């Protein structure tokens, strides 16, 4: 596959790892301790585990798995709202497959489907709109979730529905924004991070400028990273270069996909349809200012939250969960008191065990287990 | 993240709605190219272009020069690593 | 050689009236003439064989004839539900024969007799039933098995999804052969007979709701001939299993668990078609967990590896045979994969069904 296989080349990886080793030694001299780098995006977490990258890096580099899995951070109360809508007669509830298993306080969408709700998995919001056209006597509600990468697509779908005069299509909007979330992590007093691998696909929409404050104010390097294993390695190398030289700026490893200015057409679609919420509740992280969007009043007729009555009840995370500490990089998944015992991918308690992109699920699925050789010393 | 995968635009299926067929390793799907078309060019100009596809939308046109540049840097790193290794080896000798 | 138990039974029956309706109605399940016509017209006519002809409530076999093939009976049953019923490379009928034939063959049995029970939703098109039955007959002929008994039920609309098929099968296990999931030992090789994930991708694609079009066809095939060749060339083969639901990843986990060994797969060695890779990249799926219907996982001693591969490759369903990994002393029950960078990851059992994802 073009633009994929070239970036999975083993020989280049070996060379890169040798270089990372050299730079990491320099950085370790300068810092006097191992470097903690957070990959913000769940896609990176997935690549790191899928290719076994963590074990290949020198011991002086610790990867910390961040909050960038929009499914994992979805609070139970929002899932309950979705279930409540899906259970209303006449509704076809369309969702990405990711959201099917996320536990609500009573049930997941998968369980609601088993109980008879008409819930369909779609690949694209456009497919949900097509469902609405094909079923004019039904109400089709699309579960919009994801970061800025996905936001333009749902926005464009709403714009299309408005242009077509489609009356039976609406969106339950759970889109979230990455920058306020990174800021919340940076402001945490327990912060243990030295640099970031930035989310490549979010950045192809929002551009590089929004990250500049991270270097300027917090003195942390950010490298916008692609998702193939060589992309991840090269980005780690670039972060380590900055750390070894005492620099902290925003750099772009993923130039083939991410233009400096992002995608203005996509941003325009977002702005037309959505506006910032004052606060959005995150599973594990709590309420974060301006970290989510809602639909503008002009598109109220496509807003499922206005068209349907939903419980809108805040449900606290299970007390035993330490998802927040894992998300902030304060503890590793296996250090959580319920990891692999009360909380497993089959019966997830916490957000991070829910999706295969979640740090805990990835650890559980791909990571070392009891009986394996000991893990690398934990830097956090 | 947001799962995104490179594909090549092979046909325009509905110019007015900005819909095109993308080919990913021989698998085809109709996607929207609304976010990657230039207002001043015919949508047919996109045929042959490589794009990053996410949830049925082309979100970015792949910059082939940038891709080549990244690979060049990686190759050069490989040469540096080889030289370093050679120097270490000769230093030990 | 007649296997019919009752020599006085007529070997042919009066041909019933052909059905001219377009769709199955509840009358076809009522036990009366309509049902007999349906059974005769759609099924008996294509499965025609002396053991089926008497249409007793059971097929009858002489034990002495069975015993010529080996010393143990193998008996298996499988139900087939697939959406859509017809897909590139096969249909529910072909699946229903291959699935049961393969379940017998991987136990080292020679598959001989199958049953065919169908549950039909009222309203199902007769033409579809005829195509499915013809496909079953064709596949049974290829596999050298006979459909000797069966049952037909018609249920009200909504009580089933168009057509469910159950096939049970009887085979005879060769004397002396003992294949077992618990027999893998460190050093043994893990072999597959071809490209992985084609069936799973073909079905997902054919369902249409993902609007993906691809040239991927199901690998659905009867593998008893292939397995005959393997066992003849490599009688020390330890274990065989068809990698259906849950894919190859699931089968190797079952082996590691049952034999209390580790298994290390080699990323670069797992054979996956370019289009299946593309399919999986788009939907965020792992091809190792996609279903196959014509692929087996074989465990053979390392010393027999070349012989096993050569035997598999000489058969039309084994041309892509390749070693995908090796049994290790590693933690018991643990399957790992050597990634192309020399990294390692765990390949676990699937929790539930793989769902397409966007993140």
């Amino acid at each position: 596959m073009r633009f994929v296989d070239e970036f999975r080349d083993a020989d280049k990886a070996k060379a890169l790892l040798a270089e990372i080793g050299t730079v990491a030694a320099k950085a370790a001299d300068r810092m006097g301790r191992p470097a903690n780098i957070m990959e913000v995006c769940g896609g990176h977490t997935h690549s790191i585990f899928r290719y076994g990258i963590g074990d290949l890096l020198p011991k002086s580099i610790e990867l910390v798995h961040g909050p960038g899995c929009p499914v994992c951070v979805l609070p139970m109360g929002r899932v309950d709202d979705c279930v409540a809508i899906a259970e209303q007669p006449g509704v076809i509830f369309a969702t990405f497959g990711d959201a099917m298993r996320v536990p609500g306080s009573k049930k997941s969408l998968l369980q609601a489907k088993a109980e008879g709700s008409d819930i369909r998995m779609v690949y694209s919001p456009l497919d949900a709109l097509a469902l609405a056209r094909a079923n004019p006597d039904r109400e089709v509600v699309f579960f919009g979730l994801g970061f800025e990468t996905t936001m333009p697509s749902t926005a464009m779908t709403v714009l299309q529905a408005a242009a077509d005069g489609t009356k039976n299509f609406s969106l339950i909007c759970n889109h979230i924004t990455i920058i306020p979330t990174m800021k919340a992590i940076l402001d945490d007093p327990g912060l243990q991070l030295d640099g970031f691998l930035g989310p490549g696909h979010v950045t192809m929409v929002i551009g590089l400028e929004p990250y500049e404050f991270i270097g300027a104010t917090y003195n942390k390097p950010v490298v916008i990273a692609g998702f193939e294993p060589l992309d991840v390695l090269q980005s780690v190398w670039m972060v380590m270069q900055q750390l070894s030289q005492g620099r902290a700026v925003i750099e772009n490893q993923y130039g083939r996909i991410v233009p400096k200015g992002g995608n203005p057409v996509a941003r325009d679609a977002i702005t037309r349809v959505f506006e910032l919420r004052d606060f959005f509740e995150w599973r594990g992280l709590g309420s974060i200012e301006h970290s989510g969007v809602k639909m503008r009043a002009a598109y109220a007729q496509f807003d499922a939250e206005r068209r349907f009555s939903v419980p809108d009840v805040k449900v606290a995370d299970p007390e035993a969960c330490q998802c927040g500490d894992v998300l902030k990089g304060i503890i590793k998944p296996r250090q959580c008191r319920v990891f692999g015992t009360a909380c497993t991918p089959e019966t997830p308690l916490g957000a991070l065990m829910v999706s295969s992109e979640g740090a805990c699920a990835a650890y559980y699925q791909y990571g070392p287990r009891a009986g394996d050789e000991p893990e690398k010393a934990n830097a956090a | 993240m947001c799962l995104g995968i490179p594909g090549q635009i092979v046909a325009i299926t509905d110019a007015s709605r900005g819909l095109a067929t993308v080919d990913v390793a021989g698998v085809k799907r109709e996607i929207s190219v609304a976010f990657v078309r230039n207002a001043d060019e015919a949508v047919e100009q996109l045929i042959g272009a490589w794009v990053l596809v996410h949830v049925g939308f082309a979100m970015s046109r792949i910059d082939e020069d940038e891709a080549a540049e990244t690979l060049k840097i990686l190759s050069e790193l490989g040469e540096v690593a080889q030289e370093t290794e050679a120097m270490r080896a000769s230093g030990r000798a | 050689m007649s296997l019919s138990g009752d020599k006085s039974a007529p070997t042919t029956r009066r041909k019933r009236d052909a059905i001219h309706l377009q769709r199955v109605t509840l009358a076809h399940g009522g036990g009366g003439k309509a049902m007999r016509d349906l059974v005769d017209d759609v099924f008996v006519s294509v499965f025609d064989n002396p053991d089926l002809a008497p249409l007793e409530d059971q097929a009858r076999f002489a034990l002495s004839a069975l015993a010529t093939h080996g010393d143990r009976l193998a008996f298996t049953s499988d139900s087939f539900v697939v959406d859509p019923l017809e897909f590139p490379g096969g249909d529910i009928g072909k699946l229903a024969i291959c699935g049961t034939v393969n379940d017998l063959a991987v136990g080292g049995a020679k598959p001989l007799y199958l049953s065919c029970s169908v549950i039909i939703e009222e309203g199902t098109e007769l033409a579809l039933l005829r195509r499915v039955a013809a496909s079953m007959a064709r596949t049974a002929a290829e596999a050298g098995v006979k459909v000797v008994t069966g049952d037909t039920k018609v249920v009200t609309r909504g009580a089933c999804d168009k057509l469910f098929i159950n096939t049970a099968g009887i085979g005879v296990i060769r004397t002396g052969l003992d294949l077992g999931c618990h027999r893998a030992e460190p050093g043994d090789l893990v072999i597959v007979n071809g490209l992985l994930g084609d069936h799973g991708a073909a079905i997902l694609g054919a369902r249409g709701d993902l609007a993906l079009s691809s040239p991927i066809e199901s690998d659905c095939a009867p593998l008893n001939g292939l397995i005959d060749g393997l066992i003849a060339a490599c009688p020390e083969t330890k274990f065989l299993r068809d990698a259906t639901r849950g894919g190859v990843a699931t089968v190797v986990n079952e082996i590691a668990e049952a034999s209390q060994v580790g298994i290390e797969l080699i990323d670069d060695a797992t054979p996956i078609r370019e289009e299946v890779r593309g399919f999986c990249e788009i939907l965020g799926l792992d091809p190792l967990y996609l279903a196959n219907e014509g692929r087996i996982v074989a465990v053979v001693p390392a010393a027999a590896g070349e012989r096993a591969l050569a035997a598999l490759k000489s058969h039309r369903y084994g041309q892509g045979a390749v070693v995908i990994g090796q049994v290790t002393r590693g933690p018991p029950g643990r399957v790992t994969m050597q990634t192309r960078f020399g990294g390692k990851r765990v390949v676990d059992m699937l929790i539930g069904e793989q769902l397409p994802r966007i993140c």
Side-chain angles (χ1 to χ4, degrees), chain C residues 72-96:
Chain C
R72 283 154 297 163
L73 209 55
F75 176 43
T76 188
S77 168
D78 209 340
S79 295
F80 297 84
V81 295
V82 62
D83 173 33
L85 294 171
E86 297 175 289
F87 46 83
D91 55 67
I92 188 171
K94 186 177 181 187
L95 270 187

Side-chain angles (χ1 to χ4, degrees), chain A residues 108-367:
Chain A
S108 65
L109 287 168
L110 202 62
Q111 287 161 319
K113 182 173 190 289
E115 290 171 16
S117 299
D118 190 349
I119 299 176
R120 318 261 183 109
M121 269 180 281
V122 292
Y123 166 72
S124 167
L126 288 175
D127 298 348
L129 184 57
L131 272 177
R133 278 195 220 108
N135 298 277
D137 54 336
R138 306 278 300 273
E139 279 289 330
V140 174
V141 182
F142 178 68
F143 187 4
L145 57 83
F147 286 97
E148 287 90 336
T149 319
T150 319
M151 244 183 244
S153 306
T154 44
M156 189 57 91
T157 305
V158 168
L159 292 171
Q160 185 74 58
D164 295 348
T166 308
K167 300 256 184 278
N168 62 329
F169 176 81
S170 59
L171 177 74
I172 174 159
C173 177
N174 286 280
H175 285 302
I176 46 181
T177 58
I178 197 72
I179 298 290
T181 314
M182 288 180 77
K183 190 168 180 306
I185 289 171
L186 283 161
D187 284 334
D188 193 277
L191 181 76
Q192 305 267 5
L193 301 174
D194 300 299
F196 293 93
L197 302 186
H201 290 155
V202 167
T203 313
M204 83 187 157
V205 175
I206 68 174
L208 301 180
E209 193 272 332
Y211 299 90
E212 277 171 5
F213 78 99
I214 298 176
T217 312
Y218 294 90
N219 200 32
K220 310 281 181 200
V222 183
V223 173
I224 303 305
F227 295 91
E228 296 306 329
L230 279 182
D231 291 323
V232 175
L233 286 180
Q234 190 186 10
S235 302
V236 168
W237 175 68
M238 290 168 75
V239 170
M240 294 310 293
Q241 285 275 30
Q242 289 201 37
L243 289 176
S244 72
Q245 295 159 1
R247 291 185 300 129
V249 293
I250 168 87
E251 290 180 324
N252 184 11
Q253 179 276 336
Y254 202 26
R256 65 184 185 277
I257 301 289
V258 177
K260 191 169 183 292
N263 187 330
V265 185
R267 282 202 303 276
D268 180 58
I270 294 177
T271 316
R272 282 168 69 188
V273 175
F274 299 122
E275 61 189 347
L276 282 177
R277 291 179 195 260
D278 293 337
F279 287 93
F280 194 76
E281 184 75 21
W282 290 56
R283 202 183 275 218
L285 288 178
S287 185
I288 301 176
E289 195 179 0
H290 293 154
S291 65
V293 299
K294 60 182 178 187
M295 296 180 75
R296 290 184 185 276
Y299 294 94
Q301 57 168 318
F302 299 102
D303 187 349
E305 282 176 83
R306 297 184 216 214
R307 281 172 72 144
F308 297 87
S309 66
V310 294
D312 193 23
V313 174
K314 244 168 91 171
V315 181
D317 292 331
E319 234 168 69
C321 269
Q322 293 181 282
C323 283
D325 288 347
V326 176
L327 281 173
K328 291 174 205 153
I330 294 169
I331 62 168
K332 287 260 165 189
R334 280 160 57 83
Q335 292 170 317
C336 171
R337 55 185 164 251
V338 288
F339 179 89
T341 51
C343 185
T344 66
E346 262 163 294
T347 53
L349 267 188
L352 296 176
M353 196 56 99
V354 170
S355 154
S356 65
E357 302 282 299
C360 293
Y363 253 70
Y364 191 91
Q365 195 184 353
Y366 294 136

Side-chain angles (χ1 to χ4, degrees), chain B residues 1-3 5 24-30 54-55, chain C residues 210-213 215 274-275 281-282 284 357-359:
Chain B
M1 80 159 156
C2 318
L3 203 62
I5 188 76
V24 177
V27 181
K28 294 192 176 67
R29 150 101 207 185
E30 186 178 70
H54 172 67
V55 299
Chain C
L210 298 167
L212 296 168
S213 71
E274 188 70 358
E275 290 87 352
E281 293 284 350
I282 293 171
R357 61 190 175 89
I358 60 128
C359 63

Side-chain angles (χ1 to χ4, degrees), chain C residues 2-236:
Chain C
S2 169
L3 287 167
S4 184
D6 184 355
K7 294 279 166 51
S8 64
T11 51
T12 53
R13 295 189 312 145
R14 180 178 65 84
K15 183 99 178 113
R16 298 257 166 198
D17 300 336
I19 302 177
H20 299 293
L21 290 171
Q22 301 285 307
R23 290 174 186 277
V24 175
T25 67
L26 282 177
H28 291 113
K33 177 177 178 300
M35 187 179 101
R36 294 298 292 263
D37 287 348
L38 175 79
V39 171
D40 268 16
D41 184 19
V42 176
F43 295 104
V44 175
S45 62
V46 297
F47 296 149
D48 206 15
N49 65 63
D51 299 308
L52 179 64
L55 281 193
E56 296 287 355
D57 280 348
Q58 69 294 124
R60 301 171 188 182
F61 318 109
L63 291 175
S64 55
L66 292 174
T68 60
H69 299 288
D71 62 351
R72 283 154 297 163
L73 209 55
F75 176 43
T76 188
S77 168
D78 209 340
S79 295
F80 297 84
V81 295
V82 62
D83 173 33
L85 294 171
E86 297 175 289
F87 46 83
D91 55 67
I92 188 171
K94 186 177 181 187
L95 270 187
I97 299 293
C98 294
T100 294
V101 163
N102 294 345
D103 280 351
L104 290 169
V106 293
K110 179 180 172 58
L112 294 170
Y113 303 109
L114 264 55
S115 68
C116 165
S117 297
V118 295
I119 297 174
I120 307 167
E121 183 184 22
E122 70 173 318
T124 300
E125 286 173 60
L126 255 305
L128 171 75
L129 282 186
R130 287 202 180 89
R131 289 197 300 277
V132 168
S135 170
M136 291 184 84
R138 240 187 345 265
T139 312
E142 184 194 341
V145 296
K146 290 176 185 165
V147 177
V148 291
T149 187
D151 180 54
T152 305
K153 294 283 188 295
V154 179
V155 296
T156 52
R157 190 176 279 277
C160 90
D161 187 6
K162 293 192 211 57
L163 176 63
F164 296 162
I165 302 181
N166 174 280
T167 52
I170 286 178
V172 177
I173 302 172
R174 279 150 260 234
T175 307
L177 192 62
D178 177 28
L179 300 172
C181 199
H182 58 283
R183 291 189 53 209
E185 291 169 281
D188 290 348
L189 300 177
V190 180
I191 296 176
V192 295
N193 62 318
L195 293 162
L196 303 177
D198 287 5
H199 177 75
I203 295 291
L204 272 177
R207 233 165 249 175
D209 46 2
L210 298 167
L212 296 168
S213 71
S214 82
I216 304 168
E217 292 196 352
S218 168
D219 48 47
C220 178
L223 299 177
N224 49 332
L226 174 88
I227 292 170
D228 279 346
L230 172 65
I231 289 173
C234 183
E236 58 269 63

